[in-house]
Amino acid sequence: MAKLVSKTYGDALFELAVESGQVDGMLEEARGIKEILQKDNELSKLMNHPKIVKEEKIEILEQVFKGRAHDEIVGLMRMLVSKGHYGEMESVFTYFIEQVKEYKNIGTAYVTAPMPLSGSQKEQVKKRLLDTTKYVEFEMHYDVDESLIGGMAIRIGDRVVDSSVKHKLQSLTRELSKIQLKVGECAP
């Protein structure tokens, strides 16, 4: 259900942004609103309070966001609250942001290495990704996992390229156990 809500409303906002030529502005506002939704516990408490009626919740949203965000975004937020989907608002904006990034060919890469990468290493990774994918830009996220031993793992969407020593050792172990099983099956 949650995925359906985020897709339905996120697609509607995306189509509206494209049709009105306001993709960049709405993208920045969606990112800002998503950050507010993640960090502002007081707003969340108000919007989830059972004794505050929907009309009051809509009024609170309008006071906070009207004039600071596109009317279409405020209207979407108003509609989500009136339909009882406030809890899905963050996922709607996440979905919208992902749609815009795909539309603009902006990829998101998660790079995990066994030690922190230098600035030049990060640039080399980014350049290689730009050269080997359809994306014209990347949002890069770096993480350190010492258990990888060497190499790195890169995830873009649902694709993973794992050239880490840890992964290679695990693959080798699987292959060896298959060989042992075959040898064990052949024994009299």
Side-chain angles (χ1 to χ4, degrees):
M1 171 81 168
K3 193 166 193 135
L4 180 63
V5 170
S6 61
K7 180 176 176 12
T8 302
Y9 289 98
D11 281 340
L13 185 60
F14 174 71
E15 288 175 24
L16 190 63
V18 171
E19 286 173 12
S20 65
Q22 300 176 358
V23 174
D24 292 332
M26 287 187 169
L27 173 63
E28 290 311 308
E29 288 175 7
R31 284 179 169 155
I33 292 169
K34 182 180 168 191
E35 188 175 326
I36 290 168
L37 294 173
Q38 289 172 332
K39 293 181 179 177
D40 193 335
N41 292 332
E42 294 302 313
L43 179 62
S44 183
K45 284 179 188 174
L46 282 172
M47 298 314 263
N48 290 314
H49 199 286
K51 291 189 178 180
I52 299 176
V53 294
K54 289 179 183 178
E55 291 76 21
E56 287 182 75
K57 292 176 182 180
I58 291 169
E59 197 174 302
I60 291 167
L61 279 178
E62 287 184 346
Q63 288 175 1
V64 173
F65 294 105
K66 196 162 180 86
R68 295 183 180 101
H70 282 85
D71 290 340
E72 295 85 354
I73 289 180
V74 176
L76 173 82
M77 295 169 75
R78 193 173 34 241
M79 187 182 308
L80 285 167
V81 170
S82 70
K83 302 261 186 197
H85 295 303
Y86 174 79
E88 305 304 321
M89 196 173 294
E90 187 180 330
S91 65
V92 169
F93 286 117
T94 299
Y95 182 87
F96 170 75
I97 291 165
E98 292 304 315
Q99 290 298 104
V100 171
K101 286 169 45 179
E102 275 301 312
Y103 174 75
K104 296 179 71 145
N105 281 331
I106 300 170
T108 304
Y110 297 89
V111 179
T112 306
M115 61 190 75
L117 298 176
S118 68
S120 66
Q121 288 172 320
K122 288 178 180 179
E123 280 305 310
Q124 287 175 341
V125 169
K126 187 174 182 178
K127 182 182 182 326
R128 179 85 171 125
L129 291 175
L130 288 169
D131 291 343
T132 58
T133 64
K134 66 176 181 164
Y135 298 109
V136 296
E137 189 180 327
F138 267 99
E139 289 181 1
M140 303 295 291
H141 301 273
Y142 296 96
D143 194 21
V144 174
D145 179 357
E146 294 174 357
S147 73
L148 295 182
I149 305 168
M152 65 179 61
I154 301 172
R155 183 173 59 86
I156 302 169
D158 59 357
R159 291 180 25 215
V160 177
V161 176
D162 192 340
S163 66
S164 67
V165 173
K166 177 182 178 181
H167 177 73
K168 289 178 182 177
L169 287 172
Q170 288 171 339
S171 297
L172 187 58
T173 302
R174 279 193 299 275
E175 289 301 314
L176 287 173
S177 48
K178 286 180 186 176
I179 291 171
Q180 288 175 344
L181 286 174
K182 288 180 183 176
V183 170
E185 291 170 2
C186 295

